[in-house]
Amino acid sequence: MPGLGTFINIAAIIAGGTIGYFFGGLLKDRVQEGLIMASGLGTMFLGISGATEKLLSIKSGELTSVSNMMMILSLVLGVLVGELLNIEGYFESLGHFLKEKTGNSSDPAFTQAFVDTSLVVCIGAMAVVGAINDGIYHRPDTLIAKSVLDFVIVMVMASAEGKGSIFSFVSVAILQGTITLLATLIKPVMTTQALSNLSLVGSILIFCVGLNLIFGQKIRVANFLPALVFAVVFAFIPGF
């Protein structure tokens, strides 16, 4: 059944988020602040490990860096497009919409929690590859593995940031559902190099989400999302 992986992923996010929200609500403010710091640190190092894996390689016994120019240009061109389109504003509008429609208009942290968590669970190669495999081969195994990770991540983030984290399932449904429907068209573009580039740039964006969790929103991460598209494009340009 195409889309089964995304349904499982949505269920895992809702379950993890619900548990985290009610668990976090029982904790003192000081403990909740500690959980936010833990979420931020965990997210940062998740991004660092993913980026380092793709950015560094060993050649002739020496540690060298690769894909530097691709990474820089993807980020620069991506944020240029993202700022012009104000993608962050659309994310926030969706968060505000969900906040009103779900009866959470009195929750000041709802929208930011929704945006932060959506970015963490949507950015990454697993979401793209898993949705493609689910759509073409009806193999949800990659998305099931992602669901386990998302369950833990959303549980921690919901306990730290609040109910808005639970509704990140909407973003996952839109992204992965669309990719699953368009899987046949997208698959030829997702070469090994394209996925490597996507993973590298996506990991950097995840690191930025962690920075925002710890230091407050300083980077409009959603406006960097077009960088993921440029990362895939550069996989087909010689020299990158």
Side-chain angles (χ1 to χ4, degrees):
M1 170 186 166
L4 176 62
T6 295
F7 282 118
I8 293 173
N9 202 170
I10 289 170
I13 289 172
I14 294 173
T18 301
I19 292 171
Y21 172 70
F22 285 107
F23 172 73
L26 300 175
L27 302 177
K28 295 180 179 180
D29 291 343
R30 177 172 55 83
V31 180
Q32 291 185 22
E33 290 175 5
L35 284 172
I36 292 177
M37 294 297 106
S39 298
L41 286 171
T43 303
M44 285 173 63
F45 278 94
L46 183 67
I48 290 171
S49 63
T52 303
E53 180 184 355
K54 301 300 180 182
L55 193 59
L56 301 178
S57 65
I58 298 177
K59 292 183 179 180
S60 303
E62 295 183 357
L63 188 64
T64 60
S65 61
V66 296
S67 304
N68 288 325
M69 190 57 65
M70 181 280 299
M71 173 191 67
I72 294 170
L73 287 176
S74 293
L75 292 172
V76 170
L77 294 174
V79 75
L80 177 62
V81 173
E83 289 289 350
L84 290 173
L85 296 176
N86 191 23
I87 296 174
E88 184 98 0
Y90 288 109
F91 259 95
E92 291 176 350
S93 295
L94 177 57
H96 287 310
F97 174 80
L98 292 172
K99 178 179 175 178
E100 297 295 328
K101 294 299 181 181
T102 57
N104 292 289
S105 56
S106 60
D107 183 357
F110 184 97
T111 300
Q112 194 58 53
F114 165 76
V115 173
D116 288 341
T117 311
S118 291
L119 291 171
V120 173
V121 296
C122 286
I123 297 173
M126 285 186 79
V128 177
V129 175
I132 290 175
N133 287 341
D134 198 10
I136 296 177
Y137 306 113
H138 303 173
R139 283 172 37 202
D141 48 316
T142 301
L143 289 184
I144 291 174
K146 177 178 179 290
S147 298
V148 176
L149 295 174
D150 287 353
F151 175 87
V152 177
I153 290 170
V154 177
M155 181 171 63
V156 174
M157 294 189 74
S159 67
E161 292 202 271
K163 193 183 296 184
S165 296
I166 302 172
F167 290 88
S168 61
F169 80 85
V170 175
S171 301
V172 167
I174 294 172
L175 173 70
Q176 292 177 188
T178 301
I179 292 175
T180 297
L181 291 173
L182 301 177
T184 305
L185 297 176
I186 296 173
K187 184 177 181 295
V189 180
M190 289 297 131
T191 62
T192 300
Q193 186 59 54
L195 289 172
S196 179
N197 290 359
L198 182 69
S199 180
L200 169 56
V201 175
S203 294
I204 292 171
L205 299 190
I206 290 174
F207 172 79
C208 293
V209 174
L211 282 179
N212 283 347
L213 285 172
I214 292 179
F215 299 107
Q217 188 180 17
K218 297 181 182 295
I219 303 173
R220 292 186 289 273
V221 181
N223 285 346
F224 280 85
L225 289 177
L228 298 173
V229 177
F230 284 106
V232 172
V233 170
F234 280 125
F236 298 92
I237 300 178
F240 288 95

